[in-house]
Each structure stands twice: as C-alpha cells, then as structure tokens.
Amino acid sequence: MRKRVGIIGGGAAGLFAACQFKRLSCDLDVTLIDKNPIPGKKLILTGHGRCNITNRKTPEKLKNCYHEAGNFIYPALKEFSPEDTIYFFENELNLKTKEKDNNRIFPVCDSAVAVRDRLVSYISSDVAVIGEANVQSIEKTTDFEVVTSKGTYKFDYLILSCGGRSFPKTGSTGDSYRFAEKLGHTIVPTRGALAPVKADDASVGFCRNLSGVSVKAGVSLFENEKKTASAEGDILFAEFGLSGPAIMEISREVSARLEGKNAFLEIDLIPSMSDEDFSKELQNLINSHPDMKIATILSKFVPASVAGEITQSAGCDGLYAQGFTKENRKNLCRETKHLKIGLSEVPDIRIAYVTRGGVSLKEVDRKTMGSKIVPNLYVLGEALDIDGISGGFNLQACMSEAYLAAKDIANK
C-alpha cells in the first residue's frame, strides 16, 4: 500500500510541502486539508500583494535574518537555498522572477494571487486538496487520526503547517499550537512580529500630523530606560503611531506585557551623523543663513513636514537662525536625534505579518523538521518558533523546511 501523508494547513508551508512531494516524484498518497475554500489565503497578502518570494542572499548570510533561530534553520537553507527557490518558480511554475533592492525576489507579474494560483494548479493532479474542512482533533496511535468537519482521515505521516496567530481572518488562528500541545509538544508563548506599533496619548498627535510621511531613520526600543533592541531603515508615520520596515523589525522585541513599564521608541532622524557632527553642521548653517527660518534649515536634513513638527516639539517653531541660542540648538538636536515615541500597548498580533513563538525548536530535528516527541510528525512554517525579518525570509524558510520534511518522508 502507498504510504498516506496528511498536510494540515494550506498556507505557504503546507502548499510548498505539497509541491516538494511532487518535485521529488514520491510514490505517496498526499492529502492537504485546509479550512479555506482555496489554500494560500494568507500567501496572497505577502509583499503587499506582490509576493516577495525569497531573498537572494547566500545561506550563510540568510541565517542571520532569523534572530535566535538562525542556527536551527541553517541546514534547511543549505539544503534548499534561495537559488533553488528561484529555479523552482521559473522552471517548474513558469513564473519569471526579478530582483529588487536588498536582494528581494518577486515574480515579474507582481501578483501574489498569481503565485498562489500557480502553486495550487501545480499540485492539483498529484495531491488531494480538501477545502473548507475544519480540523477538530488529531490523535496518534499506530497512525494519525484526523477528525474534520468533512470526515475522518488516517495518515502514516503528518505535516502540521496550519500557521501561527497573526492575521486570524486568513484562518491563522493558532490551531497549530493547540494540536501540537495535545500531541505532547511545548509551545513558546506567542506574540506579534513584523507589526506596526501604537503610540501613546502623548506621542500619537506627532505621528498623526505626519501620517503618510516616510523617513530613513535609526530606531531603538527602551523599556524602563534600558535599551533592549535597535534597527535602522525606513519608518512610516501613521494615524495610530509608526510602521515601516525598521519598526516592523523591532516590534518583535516589545515585551509581552507593558504594564508598569516606561516603554518608548527613540527615533534618530539622521542616523548617518553623530550627535556632535549634526550639532556642528547645524551651527554652520545657522551662521551662514542668519535670515533663514530654523525649520527651513532643518529641512536640509529631513522632509519639510518633519522639520516643521520637530521645531514645534523642540519649542523652536517660527524662530530664525539669527538669535538662535545654544539652548535652542540643544533642544532641536535632542528632538531630531533622540525623538521619543511612547508605546501604548504591545503590537497587535491580529495585524502582525508573522508570529513570534510556537512549537519549541528543542523538540524538532533541524535536519528533517521531524518531531522528537511524536514519530512521523513534522512541523513547518509559523507553527514553529521561527520568525524572520521582512524581505522574503519567511517564505524562504517555509520552502526550505518543506523540502527537508518531504525528503525525509520520501526516504522512509
């Protein structure tokens, strides 16, 4: 009899696993079960609808983009690298790719929907896809018994890939953790990663006045006056607070609870210059343009709208260079290089792009993605305690993990 493989969850990891079974020409009976009518609902949100497939960095550089999980994911990245992903998309899915800034790889069509549709079509003749099926329970005896709203299925091997807790409207509601824990796994507490942050009442007005403005800046997270994380890149001011790649990257480091903590982000709007160099350059411009407004001088470093808000928060609104005091300059430098944005709450996991936390990596074999607790169980994607930075890293992790799992099952 052909061995039966069940894939629970048709997100990126589940779809990629199904693709890998086809690629490896496995003589297996593969079934993918998903709660949505069509798999890949969350996949179509990636890359702002354009689908940032992968990142063309070497595995050695790539592993540094997964925070604490870098060493765990490294064998998978070496086995199935970004180059393998690009080859698969171009030669097997017939989706040509293009490289953008920071080595990000997108399909030429710029359509995540097209990517999802091509993946579903690719597996259609080899994998049984059961849609609109809510998994109610998973039991392990000699085999796996999966009870769903559409019936009960039995499998020899089971891949758990039903996502994390971010964007629950796509079906990613934490089912992976419930099933894994019931089967004996430890779940690292989850919270949002790659998420925007909400400013507190004292700071939200500043952000709201600049809503839609993007700047390149350094950003540091402080809790109780202690710096806990830092990043640099584009930040975007919004009605509610801050977003953009640098904010998304640092959001995973915000504590799970902020009650009783003085938590804020410190924004350096001119990260290319030290405090001392900026102060000297500012003074030189003040001396050279005595009849110029301070906001106009500051706009040589930051967008004019930002300069206007900074001079106001520094108490320099409407002032000219002539007569600008040392104390004025000190305040302006502080607001420009050490702008504080207080945080009102932890990042909302419901709008986070990925989940931090999940099945403990100590209980999963990094060379196969197989469970060390339950024989013939494999855990992939956001079900695992792995989250990468923005830029194609999370989808690449799914591809690489799926390859390891499929290869190990095929070889058994």
Side-chain angles (χ1 to χ4, degrees):
M1 292 179 60
R2 298 170 72 196
K3 292 292 185 179
R4 302 160 299 175
V5 179
I7 302 173
I8 309 302
L15 275 175
F16 291 153
C19 290
Q20 297 291 8
F21 283 117
K22 176 172 179 175
R23 286 187 65 255
L24 296 169
S25 300
C26 303
D27 187 23
L28 298 165
D29 186 0
V30 182
T31 301
L32 186 153
I33 299 173
D34 192 61
K35 63 172 59 173
N36 294 306
I38 302 174
K41 187 171 183 179
K42 189 175 179 181
L43 181 64
I44 65 178
L45 301 178
T46 59
H48 300 288
R50 296 165 54 214
C51 198
N52 186 181
I53 297 165
T54 185
N55 191 289
R56 203 170 206 159
K57 288 182 172 60
T58 65
E60 290 75 18
K61 292 182 178 179
L62 212 62
K63 74 171 187 176
N64 297 321
C65 302
Y66 296 93
H67 309 290
E68 305 89 353
N71 288 332
F72 178 91
I73 196 69
Y74 185 48
L77 298 173
K78 286 198 300 181
E79 282 273 343
F80 198 90
S81 70
E83 295 302 327
D84 294 316
T85 296
I86 294 168
Y87 181 90
F88 169 67
F89 271 81
E90 294 201 336
N91 294 279
E92 299 192 47
L93 295 183
N94 197 28
L95 279 169
K96 298 304 179 186
T97 64
K98 59 185 177 182
E99 185 168 346
K100 304 293 284 185
D101 60 290
N102 193 30
N103 307 119
R104 296 178 302 154
I105 302 296
F106 291 85
V108 170
C109 63
D110 277 332
S111 172
V113 172
V115 170
R116 188 276 309 273
D117 290 347
R118 198 64 61 89
L119 289 167
V120 172
S121 176
Y122 180 79
I123 65 173
S124 61
S125 61
D126 298 84
V127 176
V129 178
I130 312 298
E132 296 182 289
N134 288 301
V135 176
Q136 297 160 353
S137 67
I138 300 173
E139 300 289 340
K140 175 69 164 74
T141 52
T142 54
D143 51 18
F144 293 93
E145 183 176 275
V146 180
V147 179
T148 80
S149 57
K150 285 196 170 181
T152 300
Y153 301 85
K154 292 190 176 183
F155 303 109
D156 302 293
Y157 304 96
L158 193 71
I159 291 177
L160 193 59
S161 57
C162 36
R165 290 179 53 228
S166 57
F167 273 100
K169 65 181 180 180
T170 65
S172 185
T173 55
D175 293 339
S176 294
Y177 314 133
R178 177 165 57 91
F179 297 139
E181 191 169 37
K182 182 74 182 298
L183 290 167
H185 274 281
T186 303
I187 307 301
V188 177
T190 59
R191 59 185 194 260
L194 295 186
V197 298
K198 290 185 178 181
D200 63 13
D201 291 343
S203 303
V204 72
F206 184 97
C207 298
R208 185 179 294 123
N209 291 342
L210 292 173
S211 183
V213 176
S214 178
V215 295
K216 185 175 179 61
V219 56
S220 297
L221 172 65
F222 286 81
E223 293 182 9
N224 290 335
E225 303 302 324
K226 180 181 178 181
K227 183 192 292 189
T228 58
S230 59
E232 185 174 323
D234 291 335
I235 69 169
L236 176 68
F237 293 97
E239 287 283 329
F240 55 82
L242 297 169
S243 187
I247 300 299
M248 295 283 197
E249 181 177 338
I250 210 170
S251 64
R252 73 184 302 274
E253 305 299 340
V254 178
S255 293
R257 296 179 64 86
L258 292 182
E259 291 84 352
K261 295 183 178 180
N262 177 23
F264 62 89
L265 294 178
E266 186 176 274
I267 311 298
D268 180 356
L269 292 166
I270 314 175
S272 61
M273 300 180 71
S274 68
D275 289 21
E276 183 180 3
D277 288 344
F278 173 60
S279 181
K280 287 180 179 179
E281 182 63 21
L282 187 62
Q283 186 62 55
N284 289 337
L285 289 170
I286 288 171
N287 294 338
S288 302
H289 304 281
D291 297 328
M292 189 176 287
K293 275 190 172 183
I294 290 299
T296 303
I297 291 175
L298 187 59
S299 67
K300 296 181 181 298
F301 302 95
V302 298
S305 56
V306 176
E309 290 298 318
I310 289 293
T311 52
Q312 185 169 336
S313 64
C316 308
D317 187 34
L319 297 184
Y320 285 80
Q322 189 172 24
F324 200 67
T325 67
K326 182 179 180 180
E327 186 65 22
N328 289 149
R329 190 171 83 251
K330 178 182 176 181
N331 292 337
L332 187 64
C333 289
R334 182 193 67 239
E335 293 300 304
T336 305
K337 296 284 291 178
H338 302 276
L339 174 67
K340 288 186 178 182
I341 302 294
L343 301 182
S344 65
E345 59 187 67
V346 299
D348 189 346
I349 197 168
R350 294 171 299 177
I351 55 173
Y353 279 95
V354 296
T355 303
R356 179 181 180 180
V359 174
S360 172
L361 301 184
K362 296 177 181 178
E363 301 170 353
V364 177
D365 185 343
R366 68 178 190 153
K367 294 183 179 180
T368 66
M369 309 314 297
S371 167
K372 296 178 182 179
I373 306 294
V374 184
N376 298 333
L377 173 69
Y378 298 78
V379 189
L380 306 180
E382 280 193 77
L384 289 166
D385 182 20
I386 297 177
D387 62 289
I389 65 175
S390 178
F393 304 101
N394 290 290
L395 285 187
Q396 179 58 50
C398 289
M399 285 289 290
S400 299
E401 294 162 12
Y403 174 77
L404 290 188
K407 187 179 77 165
D408 191 61
I409 293 172
N411 288 339
K412 283 188 175 180

